[in-house]
Amino acid sequence: MTLQEELRSRQFWRAIAAEVLGTLVFVSAVLGSSMPGPEGNDGGPLYPALAAGMVAVGLGHCFGEISGAQVNPAVTLAFLATRRLEALRALVYVAAQCLGATLGTGILYLALPQKSTAESFANKVPMEVNAGQALGMEMLATFQLVFTIFSVEDQRRREGAEPGNLAIGFSLSAGIFTAGRLSGGSMNPARTLGPAIITGVWEYHWVYWIGPVLGAILAGVSHEFFFAPSASRQKLVACLTCKDIEMVETASVSRSSLSTVTQTAMRAKQAHKSEHT
């Protein structure tokens, strides 16, 4: 599809609107659950982890067929790196996600009775942890999340009926439980950018872009070119040389299917020969 056809497509703008609204809902749910209680008690990563996992499942059902319900620039860039998404759509998705995150944070900020509590919105590197350690935790948490997303998407392409939203929700919650107390467990640059714009807290902001993006791209590349059923050296070369990956993938699947059929026929022939003997 050409650039003009993409911009004139109703489906394209529906997908953009879905990413804006989906990220708005996701960020507002996570930030709302992370606010301290009436006595200033901090619930730790428990409430944000549960809220993020549950809202991810809901958004998958709402917008999965429209835009993929990515609501995360790191996920979008991982799809771009593995050529599962075109450059134009990926860049517009990232802009829409950042806009949705900023709007969600702003709406929640306006609803706060005490504006000082908005400081809990921002992702911060704890005093006992340095930036390098926080970066590593963000990479690790995002890696397991995005690897799960790619696995679910691959199973959807092969089987069609498998929703997989629960697996993604559980993986998101697990990432926040793992990295929540060490880096905040963001795994989503938009979730960090929105609060930074509203509250003005930009300390170590680069950690929450570089960590999730690197972790997501590593997860996407490792799944697509090493662990997926259609993974092959030819597929990796096709990606690096900007060739058509789908043709290589189809050929790989066809060879795999042919091999399975051949093995089944040989087993049947051997069984028939044994019975005859």
Side-chain angles (χ1 to χ4, degrees):
M1 184 179 291
T2 64
L3 176 61
Q4 292 183 348
E5 291 175 343
E6 186 84 324
L7 294 176
R8 292 176 182 175
S9 170
R10 179 172 176 268
Q11 175 61 28
F12 175 78
W13 294 107
R14 286 179 68 233
I16 301 304
E19 287 299 304
V20 173
L21 181 58
T23 313
L24 186 155
V25 172
F26 177 81
V27 171
S28 60
V30 174
L31 295 182
S33 64
S34 64
M35 290 176 56
E39 298 180 358
N41 297 325
D42 184 9
L46 175 61
Y47 297 134
L50 294 178
M54 289 187 287
V55 77
V57 173
L59 291 175
H61 284 286
C62 293
F63 301 124
E65 296 295 328
I66 300 175
S67 67
Q70 298 175 22
V71 299
N72 187 336
V75 175
T76 300
L77 293 176
F79 278 112
L80 175 64
T82 54
R83 295 179 60 194
R84 290 293 179 186
L85 201 62
E86 296 178 355
L88 172 63
R89 189 174 286 255
L91 294 177
V92 179
Y93 271 18
V94 170
Q97 292 156 0
C98 293
L99 174 61
T102 305
L103 292 176
T105 308
I107 292 172
L108 203 60
Y109 179 79
L110 293 175
L112 291 176
Q114 295 181 351
K115 305 304 181 185
S116 60
T117 57
E119 295 182 1
S120 63
F121 291 171
N123 280 121
K124 301 176 184 177
V125 177
M127 295 293 295
E128 63 273 13
V129 178
N130 61 45
Q133 292 170 329
L135 180 71
M137 291 306 301
E138 286 296 315
M139 287 183 61
L140 176 63
T142 310
F143 182 93
Q144 61 87 27
L145 169 64
V146 176
F147 197 92
T148 302
I149 292 173
F150 270 78
S151 300
V152 168
E153 289 297 320
D154 183 68
Q155 191 167 356
R156 282 172 177 165
R157 289 197 302 269
R158 289 185 286 110
E159 300 181 8
E162 202 283 321
N165 295 321
L166 281 176
I168 296 174
F170 287 147
S171 180
L172 183 58
S173 296
I176 298 177
F177 281 131
T178 302
R181 295 191 181 276
L182 298 174
S183 66
S186 173
M187 299 176 287
N188 187 334
R191 177 257 178 270
T192 302
L193 178 65
I197 292 175
I198 298 300
T199 63
V201 178
W202 295 92
E203 184 179 6
Y204 293 117
H205 185 76
W206 57 272
V207 168
Y208 300 99
W209 278 90
I210 296 178
V213 169
L214 285 179
I217 292 176
L218 287 173
V221 170
S222 62
H223 179 273
E224 285 296 296
F225 304 122
F226 295 99
F227 292 100
S230 60
S232 65
R233 183 174 60 85
Q234 291 79 7
K235 185 178 176 182
L236 177 60
V237 172
C239 180
L240 295 176
T241 56
C242 298
K243 294 182 179 179
D244 192 346
I245 291 182
E246 292 185 358
M247 292 182 62
V248 176
E249 194 173 31
T250 301
S252 175
V253 172
S254 299
R255 287 194 297 269
S256 176
S257 300
L258 181 61
S259 176
T260 302
V261 171
T262 304
Q263 292 175 8
T264 303
M266 290 179 63
R267 293 193 191 100
K269 185 176 180 180
Q270 291 176 355
H272 178 73
K273 186 177 180 180
S274 298
E275 290 177 0
H276 181 70
T277 302

